[in-house]
Amino acid sequence: MAQLRDTTNGAGTAAERAVTRRDFLYLATGAMGVAGVVAVAWPLVDQMEPSADVLARGAPITVDISSLQPGAQVVVQWRSHPIFIVHRTPKVLDELKQPSLLSRLSDPDSQQRQQPKYAQNWSRSIKPEYLVLVGICTHLGCVPGYKPTVGEIGPAWPGGYFCPCHGSKYDLAGRVFKGVPAPLNLPVPPYRYAGATSLVIGEDPKGSTFTLSDVETI
């Protein structure tokens, strides 16, 4: 089991990094509530720990999301990419299908190949309640911030992701809004379920073949 730390406190000292040859899993969570969003460190995630060199070559990682609360996000690292995992609420899922939102998106039906076939649907996921994305803006590769609260960055904001570099915006399915620099939706990585709440990032469900090299932009 990986020992976890909050990335908001930095990567640690050189001495701390020398203690282990394993990759640490860095996590950040945010929860939607009446008072807004509270960001805290996710204390424990059950993850298989491949060595750093194997992980760099793309070894799958297993993430236990059984404690991920509705409205919260956890961020894990796979192949040096931040992977966003969000437990979406029923309210969010309903919003994702609203014509008023779809009309504001560049690719609402995910026609561009930014996801595997098994995630080319209205929720861009295998299970609607759990979203899995590569957290890299499709404009210039910045990491978008999780802004799930309605109105958080403007009165018309439905909740989603905001890239601080050049202002690109995505909804809570990772679909890009019109009129922003980013040209495409956030990518969905290959993933499957090993149990009801156990995700394997980097492996497809049986019968499917998809890799990140298949996406148009990452």
Side-chain angles (χ1 to χ4, degrees):
M1 176 121 16
Q3 184 66 37
L4 308 179
R5 294 183 295 180
D6 184 352
T7 53
T8 60
N9 292 327
T13 66
E16 289 173 331
R17 292 195 297 270
V19 170
T20 178
R21 296 178 63 85
R22 300 286 190 181
D23 276 359
F24 281 102
L25 180 66
Y26 293 99
L27 307 168
T29 59
M32 289 184 286
V34 175
V37 180
V38 179
V40 295
W42 195 256
L44 291 174
V45 167
D46 185 9
Q47 181 205 5
M48 295 178 65
E49 246 186 309
S51 62
D53 59 336
V54 172
L55 189 60
R57 291 197 300 269
I61 61 171
T62 300
V63 184
D64 179 3
I65 56 172
S66 60
S67 298
L68 185 60
Q69 296 300 306
Q73 170 178 273
V74 64
V75 182
V76 302
Q77 186 180 27
W78 173 67
R79 292 184 61 179
S80 300
H81 300 316
I83 303 297
F84 298 163
I85 305 171
V86 181
H87 188 172
R88 294 180 290 201
T89 65
K91 183 177 181 180
V92 166
L93 295 177
D94 182 64
E95 173 65 22
L96 295 180
K97 295 180 283 187
Q98 295 302 312
S100 58
L101 172 61
L102 299 178
S103 66
R104 299 168 61 193
L105 304 175
S106 291
D107 183 17
D109 297 321
S110 301
Q111 295 301 306
Q112 301 288 346
R113 195 170 191 194
Q114 288 293 97
Q115 63 284 310
K117 287 290 186 181
Y118 50 82
Q120 190 177 10
N121 50 46
W122 66 270
S123 66
R124 300 191 76 221
S125 61
I126 297 174
K127 295 183 179 182
E129 64 268 34
Y130 291 110
L131 174 67
V132 183
L133 295 172
V134 179
I136 298 177
C137 181
T138 57
H139 180 221
L140 292 177
C142 296
V143 178
Y146 181 49
K147 305 292 183 181
T149 304
V150 173
E152 186 172 355
I153 61 172
W157 182 243
Y161 291 93
F162 176 75
C163 183
C165 295
H166 299 94
S168 293
K169 300 174 183 178
Y170 306 84
D171 75 350
L172 284 170
R175 299 175 296 190
V176 69
F177 281 81
K178 296 176 181 177
V180 302
L184 298 170
N185 296 340
L186 293 175
V188 175
Y191 76 98
R192 66 177 179 84
Y193 283 86
T197 55
S198 180
L199 282 176
V200 181
I201 311 295
E203 284 186 357
D204 293 295
K206 187 176 180 180
S208 298
T209 302
F210 178 81
T211 69
L212 283 185
S213 63
D214 293 326
V215 304
E216 295 191 28
T217 297
I218 188 171

